[in-house]
Every structure is written in C-alpha cells, then in structure tokens.
Amino acid sequence: MNSRMRDTVQGYLFISPVVLGLLIFTIGPMLASFYMSFTKFPLLRAPEWIGLRNYVVMFTSDRNFWQACKVTLIYAGTSVPLGLVGAFVLAMLLNQRVKGIAFFRTSFYMPAIVPAIASLILWGWLMNRDYGLINAVLVRLGIPKFSFFAEPETALASMVMMSLWGVGAGMIIYLAGLQGIPESLYEAGKLDGANELQLFRNITIPMMTPTIFFNLVMGLIAASQTFVNAFVLTSGGPLKATYFYNLMLYERAFNWTQMGMASAMAWFLLFVVLILTLLVFRSSGLWVFYEVEVK
Amino acid sequence: MTVSEKDVHVGILDLDWRRRPKQGFRILLIYLILGVSAVVFLLPLLWMVTTSLKTQAEIYVFPPTFFPETYRWQNFPEGWTYESMQWTRWLMNTLAITASVMVGTLISATLCGYGFARISFPGRDLWFILVLASIMLPGTVTLIPLFVGFHRVGWLDTLLPLTVPAFFGGGAFNIFLMRQFFKGIPVELEEAALIDGAGRLRILWQIFVPLSGPVIAATSVFTFQAVWNDYFGPLIFLTSQENYTLALGITFFKGLYNTQIPYMMAMSFLMVIPIIIVFFFAQKLMIRGVILSGIQA
C-alpha cells in the first residue's frame, strides 16, 4: 500500500466519527424530514403521502402560522440589531485603556453563561408586573408600571429587552476584533489630521465589518430559532403575542403529533434562514471589508 | 492633533486630571458608563441571590426590599426536598449526561480534529465544510426524524439520545477548535515519529494530546456548559420525572408551585453556581475559544 492510499484510509478512519455522525444524525434525518413534510404522520401509524397538502395548509388556512412568522421576524429584526449595537458599544468601552477593565469585562460577560432556564426564571420575576424589581425602580422614578409579559402589547418587547442581558458573548468577539486592529493605522490616520470621529468611521468600522458580519449571521440564525423563552415564560401568549415559530412547531409535533406538518414547518424555516443568510452573504461584498494580507 | 487623543489609542492614560483636565473628564465619563452598565448586568444575579434568601411573605411586598429582612438559609435545603421534587436524582442525571458527553466529545473531537488537521486525503475539505455548515443548520430540521428514530429503537426517556451522538464527532465547533490547535503544532515532531515507524494513533496520544492542554480544557469547559445548560434536548427526549435533568426540574417546579419564588430562585441559583465557578477558573481559556470562533469562521 503506497503512502497516499494509506493516508486516505487513515484519514477517513480518524474522521469516521464525524462522518458517521453527520450521516446518522444530520444528513439522514434531514432527508427523512424532507420526505415526512409531504406526509401525514401521526407517529404511531406509518407516514401517508399527501403531497403538498402540509405546505398548502400551512400557508393558506393556518392563521397561527403567519402570526408565528410575524412574531419571529419582529423579534429577530429588533433583538439582533439592538444586540449588535449594544455588544459593540460595550466592546468599545472595554477597549479604552483604563484600570479595572478585567472586572467590567467579567461583569458584562457573566450573564451570557448563566443557564437559559435560570435566567428566564429570574427575568420572569424581575419583570413581574406587581412585585418585580424593574417596576419598583420605575415607580421610584415616577414612571408608571410596565406590563411586561402580562399584556400582548408589551410581551414581545419585553423578550427583546431580556435578550439584551446576554450580549456579552458578542461583545467578547468584538473586543478581540478591536484589539486586532493595528495601532499603526490609527497613527497614520492621526498624522493625516483625522479626528476621533473620522478615525472611528474610516478605520474602526471598516476593520470591524468582518466581525460584525459574523455576529449578524450567527445572531439571525439563533434568533430565528427562539423557543425556550416563550415556552417557559409565556406559552406564546398573551393572545399569541409571543407565539414564536419554533413554539408552534413544537406544539404541532409533540402536543398534536402532527409530525408531517412539523417537518414541513422545519423545512420552511430552513429555507428562510438559508435565503436570509445568502442575502447577508451577497450583501457582504458591499459592506464587509476584507484586508488583503501583504507580506 | 492633541496629545490626549493619541494616548487613548497608544494606551498610556495620564490619570492626573489636574494636568489634563480634558482627559480626566473623559476617564470619569468612561467609568460612569462602565459602572452603570456593570450594575445593570450584575444586579439581576444579585437579585436572584437575595430573593432566594427571603421569606415567602417578603416576596409579596411592593416596593420590594433589596436585602432580606431575615436571611432564610433554610430555603436551600427546604427547596431541595420540597414535596415531590427529586433534586438529588436530577442532579445525578445531569452529571451522568454531562460526564458521558464530555468523554464522547473529547475522544471523537480529538480524533476528527487530528484527521482534518494533519492527514491529507481526497474529500477531506469537503467533509470539513460539511462539518462547519452543520453549525448553521436549524436544529428542528433533524429533530423530528431523530425523535421518531429514537422512538423506534426504544431510546426515548433514556439518557441515550442525549449522550450517544456526542461520540460521533462531538460537535462541529469542538472539532474546529481541535483542528485549529493541532495545525499549530510543529510538523517536525510528527515527521520524526512517523519515520521511526510510530502509528498515527500513538503520535496523537503521545505527542499531540500532551501538548494540547489548553484546547482540551477549553473543549471540556464549553461542553460542560452546553450540556449543563441544555433545556431543549431533555425536554424532547425525557418524559418521566425520575429521568429529568436540573433544567427540566426547575421548569417542573415552576409549573407546580409557581408562587414559591424563594425556593425557585434558590434552586436556580444552585444551578448557576457550578457554571460561575468553572467560568472563574477557565475564564481566559473560554474567552480565547469564543474569540477563535469569531475570528476564524
């Protein structure tokens, strides 16, 4: 056996766990799910082929479906940009060379590692309309109590606010990006007489676009799959104001055992996420600046 | 161009505000914003702790007291053994799942990471791209067939659906971390061993693993965190109470005793403690890992 052959055999042996894993736990199930989306499948009986009916029902006669799409889109469309800006501002602050930065960095990052369940329980209580801490602060400041999860008008906005507590993860990535910008660029800019705002606009922002791009894509993908918040805190209410897409999918699959319908929903989500990601990638040529390495 | 503007970026701030009043004001402003933000980020956690020590009566007071009137430490043992709650059992389940997933992840991510980093063979890059692409795949697309499959083989309501997949790759992100790290290990070490006739597994075990302390630690910490915090997996695959994990236990408690706020906070806080301890020990490693994911991807 020549060395090339041997490398091929050994290479595949080494990566065989993930090859098998992808086939068994990702690609296989994906294909199965695609097939199931064209069937009526109540779990205990065999799937029955019904063509496009799941999709037709989903798009035309299920009012909840569009509500779920709307809720998820609004949430992604607000929490992702706000989170990006919030994380960026915090990272800029931490990039100032003042004493005690380690303490602040830890404080901002810590909420991002708190188990989702624990932080939901906590925020449910903080945002309690009658006894919550936040309303206590508002009342002290002379502002009327906020309803948070108790009213349809405020429930989704409250979820967005809650999500901002976890911006630490994105912040850490931005901070690394900021610290990777060569000092010489700023010095050159200042020699040319640029003020701080100009330095920020013409050096910091362009150099950070790849990082912003990464956080944007990952943020959109994560937001489109929001589930636990609504499942634990609001059950999608009040009046379906927090009825997230994946909550509906979960109900179809596990409360109603409509495995076919749930699979159709999963594929539509994949399709939308794919389109969104492609659009972001396409647009990246316009705004993401990739440094050409010169050595 | 003033001196102060330059210094901000070069990194030597003169803290003597009398000599540079403009910069002194700037520093004050930065600290003010940092301080307010730190309060906003930390106060909720502190609130969790103080609430867990209050009496049931003190919870329903408005405006609320910040520090408890009496520190009721017995909330912790009482919450732990409250009525039908099986916290000890749930802790054991969580630990069992966490330990198995960590073992599976470390073994398989090390093997795969080495294969991707150090052996060249046709199809390698394609598989690596597939691995990376799987990071972006919405989980629900595979969820239902997996549920059906686990149902067919009788694995539902056991710990197997939550642990066995870890032995098959250990997660795209961990493979990626391992690969990046292994790529940085000098080739000469490996070539010498290969010429001496050492097998690849032995090279991996005797040369690479001893050098890979940081990445193994980072992978362990990330895996620990992910499994400890996971809610969705246990929710889908576990049904009977005695198989619950801590995360499921907390929502179960909430469902039954929605008004027992101090107990609920006490149990939530217990669940947070290990995460915070690990974080303090591994902060540098974790931050480096998060950064690596952001910069390289």
Side-chain angles (χ1 to χ4, degrees):
Chain A
M1 195 155 60
N2 65 24
S3 76
R4 200 180 140 71
M5 268 274 280
R6 201 183 55 218
D7 275 359
T8 305
V9 171
Q10 288 188 338
Y12 274 100
L13 279 177
F14 270 98
I15 67 163
S16 60
V18 76
V19 168
L20 286 175
L22 280 176
L23 292 173
I24 301 171
F25 297 113
T26 307
I27 299 171
M30 272 180 80
L31 297 175
S33 149
F34 190 60
Y35 166 73
M36 282 177 194
S37 74
F38 299 105
T39 65
K40 185 179 174 190
F41 185 21
L43 192 59
L44 295 177
R45 270 175 285 135
E48 174 197 335
W49 183 268
I50 54 168
L52 285 170
R53 201 180 338 150
N54 285 327
Y55 291 95
V56 172
V57 169
M58 194 165 92
F59 291 134
T60 57
S61 52
D62 199 335
R63 270 187 305 131
N64 288 332
F65 175 78
W66 292 114
Q67 173 66 13
C69 288
K70 196 177 108 191
V71 166
T72 310
L73 270 177
I74 294 176
Y75 179 80
T78 48
S79 74
V80 174
L82 285 175
L84 286 181
V85 173
F88 196 95
V89 169
L90 288 178
M92 289 290 294
L93 278 170
L94 289 181
N95 199 36
Q96 306 295 321
R97 320 276 168 90
V98 293
K99 280 183 186 155
I101 282 300
F103 166 76
F104 292 109
R105 192 184 55 207
T106 305
S107 320
F108 299 165
Y109 185 57
M110 208 140 69
I113 59 164
V114 169
I117 286 303
S119 73
L120 288 176
I121 298 284
L122 171 63
W123 279 90
W125 182 239
L126 283 166
M127 291 181 154
N128 184 293
R129 178 165 54 179
D130 299 318
Y131 304 104
L133 177 65
I134 301 181
N135 269 340
V137 173
L138 291 183
V139 167
R140 176 67 62 85
L141 296 174
I143 302 167
K145 282 185 178 180
F146 198 71
S147 303
F148 295 111
F149 302 115
E151 299 284 345
E153 293 77 21
T154 52
L156 192 56
S158 306
M159 293 248 170
V160 175
M161 283 186 245
M162 196 172 70
S163 77
L164 294 179
W165 196 49
V167 297
M171 173 201 78
I172 290 287
I173 297 177
Y174 283 132
L175 186 57
L178 286 172
Q179 289 174 350
I181 302 176
E183 205 59 61
S184 55
L185 289 180
Y186 289 111
E187 278 157 19
K190 274 175 287 187
L191 283 180
D192 290 343
N195 63 30
E196 279 204 48
L197 194 67
Q198 288 168 325
L199 291 179
F200 178 74
R201 271 194 44 194
N202 298 318
I203 297 175
T204 311
I205 293 280
M207 292 297 286
M208 288 298 286
T209 45
T211 316
I212 299 173
F213 175 70
F214 172 80
N215 277 348
L216 173 65
V217 171
M218 295 318 266
L220 280 177
I221 292 174
S224 71
Q225 299 177 66
T226 308
F227 168 78
V228 184
N229 312 13
F231 184 72
V232 172
L233 278 184
T234 59
S235 312
L239 295 176
K240 302 254 183 270
T242 58
Y243 196 57
F244 279 89
Y245 194 88
N246 270 2
L247 182 63
M248 176 172 176
L249 196 158
Y250 173 90
E251 283 182 1
R252 288 292 182 276
F254 300 104
N255 296 352
W256 306 12
T257 57
Q258 295 181 342
M259 296 301 175
M261 176 60 97
S263 299
M265 285 191 67
W267 270 88
F268 181 66
L269 179 68
L270 174 65
F271 177 74
V272 172
V273 167
L274 215 63
I275 296 285
L276 269 179
T277 315
L278 276 180
L279 281 178
V280 178
F281 267 92
R282 267 288 165 84
S283 78
S284 72
L286 299 175
W287 62 275
V288 178
F289 170 76
Y290 286 103
E291 199 182 354
V292 184
E293 297 239 350
V294 187
K295 280 194 177 158
Chain B
M1 185 181 79
T2 65
V3 185
S4 68
E5 276 169 8
K6 181 170 183 244
D7 285 354
V8 172
H9 295 292
V10 177
I12 323 145
L13 275 188
D14 195 336
L15 289 171
D16 188 350
W17 58 272
R18 278 162 304 193
R19 258 193 302 141
R20 293 178 181 172
K22 194 178 157 201
Q23 191 161 61
F25 177 72
R26 188 195 164 106
I27 293 174
L28 203 69
L29 193 68
I30 290 173
Y31 274 123
L32 191 71
I33 304 173
L34 283 172
V36 170
S37 316
V39 169
V40 170
F41 278 92
L42 289 183
L43 201 64
L45 279 177
L46 195 60
W47 187 244
M48 177 185 263
V49 182
T50 61
T51 308
S52 72
L53 293 169
K54 287 178 182 174
T55 62
Q56 182 72 8
E58 201 182 342
I59 293 300
Y60 295 107
V61 172
F62 195 89
T65 53
F66 193 84
F67 291 105
E69 279 162 10
T70 49
Y71 286 78
R72 205 168 178 283
W73 294 99
Q74 60 269 46
N75 281 341
F76 284 83
E78 278 175 21
W80 191 264
T81 52
Y82 194 74
E83 305 212 343
S84 60
M85 296 298 115
Q86 307 175 49
W87 291 105
T88 311
R89 172 122 206 177
W90 298 338
L91 173 66
M92 290 304 159
N93 291 339
T94 311
L95 287 175
I97 298 172
T98 310
S100 333
V101 172
M102 280 173 74
V103 170
T105 297
L106 283 178
I107 294 175
S108 63
T110 310
L111 290 172
C112 297
Y114 177 82
F116 282 123
R118 281 316 177 88
I119 309 176
S120 70
F121 52 94
R124 181 188 67 176
D125 296 342
L126 175 75
W127 279 105
F128 190 64
I129 289 171
L130 280 178
V131 170
L132 289 186
S134 71
I135 293 181
M136 295 167 58
L137 192 73
T140 44
V141 178
T142 56
L143 175 73
I144 286 153
L146 284 178
F147 181 81
V148 174
F150 289 135
H151 173 74
R152 292 263 160 87
V153 293
W155 283 11
L156 286 188
D157 206 19
T158 71
L159 306 187
L160 294 173
L162 300 169
T163 52
V164 172
F167 288 82
F168 291 85
F173 177 63
N174 293 323
I175 293 176
F176 174 75
L177 277 185
M178 290 283 183
R179 172 183 176 268
Q180 296 307 99
F181 193 87
F182 289 159
K183 269 183 167 291
I185 292 176
V187 192
E188 295 76 28
L189 285 174
E190 192 178 11
E191 277 171 351
L194 274 174
I195 290 167
D196 288 347
R200 295 238 182 226
L201 263 182
R202 227 181 90 196
I203 292 174
L204 175 60
W205 181 245
Q206 292 187 342
I207 298 176
F208 280 70
V209 170
L211 289 173
S212 307
V215 74
I216 289 173
T219 308
S220 312
V221 170
F222 284 127
T223 309
F224 167 75
Q225 246 187 20
V227 183
W228 187 267
N229 296 358
D230 185 24
Y231 179 72
F232 195 65
L235 173 74
I236 300 294
F237 297 122
L238 303 176
T239 40
S240 35
Q241 265 177 57
E242 67 262 23
N243 288 333
Y244 277 8
T245 59
L246 289 176
L248 280 184
I250 287 177
T251 47
F252 181 59
F253 188 99
K254 181 177 185 282
L256 286 182
Y257 314 104
N258 197 11
T259 51
Q260 297 287 358
I261 303 288
Y263 291 155
M264 219 152 77
M265 288 298 159
M267 296 302 109
S268 302
F269 182 57
L270 287 181
M271 195 183 164
V272 176
I273 290 174
I275 291 287
I276 291 188
I277 291 176
V278 169
F279 173 69
F280 272 104
F281 279 105
Q283 192 176 0
K284 283 228 170 83
L285 276 173
M286 284 167 60
I287 288 179
R288 226 190 300 162
V290 172
I291 287 166
L292 194 63
S293 76
I295 292 177
Q296 311 265 346

